[in-house]
Amino acid sequence: MKKIILLASLLLPVLTVKGQQKLSYAYDAAGNRISRTIVVGAHNIEGEAPRSYIDTIDGRQLAINTGSGRPQLTIAVEEYDSSLTGEYSILDKEGTLLAKEELSGGTTLVELEELPSGGYILHILLNGHPSRWELVKL
């Protein structure tokens, strides 16, 4: 057990970016990614370039972009077409649904200003295929 904990802590790279945004991944002992966390600062630095976090769902590239200057995310789906169905939802750590919206067009804005600081779960569903992200708002 100690080896697993040590290995997991060594394999937890944290990419810290200027200011208050970062992304971290956690891996199990076999090297499989088991979680992803996006940290969004409550007061992002004006003029700071947005950061993109990429995932592939159902053969399409999905980019989650942090907002510059405001606590928000943008979900962008590559090659979006009218036959695509998708939605995002934000839940608190107890699983209570706080927000749920359909993905619209190729880009959907997710406002986080109304949420208090804390930990959340961001679920994205694209053509029935899920993507799950931990979300921390400072």
Side-chain angles (χ1 to χ4, degrees):
M1 184 66 171
K2 288 182 183 179
K3 287 182 182 181
I4 293 173
I5 293 171
L6 177 62
L7 184 58
S9 67
L10 293 174
L11 293 175
L12 182 63
V14 177
L15 305 172
T16 304
V17 297
K18 176 179 164 187
Q20 303 169 12
Q21 300 171 348
K22 68 181 176 179
L23 171 70
S24 66
Y25 296 107
Y27 297 86
D28 65 13
N32 300 309
R33 186 171 64 195
I34 56 173
S35 74
R36 302 172 284 199
T37 303
I38 298 173
V39 178
V40 179
H43 302 289
N44 294 329
I45 299 169
E46 285 290 336
E48 181 177 341
R51 301 289 178 198
S52 292
Y53 307 104
I54 308 298
D55 196 4
T56 301
I57 304 176
D58 193 30
R60 296 176 193 255
Q61 182 174 306
L62 173 83
I64 301 171
N65 304 298
T66 60
S68 60
R70 295 181 59 178
Q72 65 186 18
L73 300 173
T74 303
I75 301 171
V77 180
E78 181 181 70
E79 299 178 17
Y80 185 90
D81 61 50
S82 61
S83 68
L84 183 73
T85 59
E87 66 183 27
Y88 77 86
S89 55
I90 298 176
L91 297 91
D92 65 14
K93 291 293 185 171
E94 288 77 40
T96 303
L97 182 65
L98 303 174
K100 184 176 184 177
E101 298 288 332
E102 288 187 25
L103 297 180
S104 57
T107 304
T108 303
L109 181 64
V110 180
E111 289 287 349
L112 302 173
E113 280 189 47
E114 299 298 318
L115 295 177
S117 297
Y120 301 94
I121 298 168
L122 171 65
H123 282 279
I124 300 171
L125 192 62
L126 194 60
N127 283 344
H129 299 276
S131 179
R132 181 182 186 275
W133 295 78
E134 301 288 328
L135 179 63
V136 176
K137 181 181 177 197
L138 298 178

